Every structure is written in structure tokens, then in C-alpha cells.
Amino acid sequence: MDEPRSVGGSDQGPQPTDLLLASVSSCFTVALAYCAARQGVELVDLRVTATGVYDGPRFASVRIEVSSGCERAALTQLITAAEKVCYVTNTLRRAPEIEVALAEEPNRAEVPDA
């Protein structure tokens, strides 16, 4: 993980926000596959992408686009079902409480007096 050079990074890896969007799209893909298997629908050429719109230090919105070679009506039903079971999108829809705390220092063996 890294940041672009324009904000002090070395541009050697994805940004944290890229990883967040990857989590959204990958979790929704898994949810779609799960629902398709339960409904006996074959997902042909499934593609899921997530795009975020920045608003200062956060995303104002995230858009998930789904495409597949399967019948459009079946895909629409799968999307509705996947929205109910996708952990990442459900977490973002109902923002969790976030706590930031200083970790306790590990117990260090005392150094004997010399």
C-alpha cells in the first residue's frame, strides 16, 4: 500500500482508498456468486467494479456496477439478493462505531542490574 507522489508517497502500490473499493467489489462478487449458486443461476463473464466519488477526506458515494452474460432479469434478482448478504456494503451502509486507541505496550523482561 502506498500513496501517490503528489501527497508524499512513492507511488509503489495501491492507495488505501483503492483497497477499500477493491474490498467492496470483491465482497459483492462473492455475495453474487453465493446467491447465484443458491438459485442455480450460472454467472457468465461476471464483472463487478466499484467507483468512489471523493468529498474531502472521505467518499461521498460509492457506485457498484455489475455486468454478466446471464439474463438481465436474473442478474437484477441476484443483485437484490446479494445486497442483503454482502458484509462490506452492509457495513458501509450502517457505519460501524470506530474506536482508535493506543495499543498497550507489550510486557518487556526487566533487564537485571549489572
Side-chain angles (χ1 to χ4, degrees):
M1 184 208 55
D2 200 356
E3 291 283 353
R5 283 184 169 78
S6 62
V7 293
S10 60
D11 208 15
Q12 296 293 312
Q15 298 178 69
T17 50
D18 292 338
L19 297 175
L20 175 65
L21 294 174
S23 294
V24 168
S25 61
S26 63
C27 190
F28 204 78
T29 300
V30 169
L32 282 167
Y34 169 79
C35 293
R38 290 193 62 178
Q39 295 180 24
V41 175
E42 183 181 353
L43 287 173
V44 180
D45 299 325
L46 177 63
R47 181 178 170 90
V48 178
T49 58
T51 307
V53 175
Y54 284 107
D55 180 22
R58 65 181 295 275
F59 284 128
S61 64
V62 174
R63 178 181 172 87
I64 302 169
E65 287 193 5
V66 178
S67 64
S68 172
C70 76
E71 183 182 313
R72 194 162 183 84
L75 189 57
T76 300
Q77 287 180 335
L78 288 173
I79 288 170
T80 300
E83 285 182 293
K84 295 175 184 173
V85 298
C86 178
Y87 280 81
V88 173
T89 57
N90 282 315
T91 297
L92 293 174
R93 278 193 182 100
R94 293 180 295 276
E97 185 176 315
I98 296 176
E99 178 183 352
V100 178
L102 183 62
E104 292 185 30
E105 289 194 38
N107 291 333
R108 297 185 181 167
E110 289 187 30
V111 178
D113 292 331

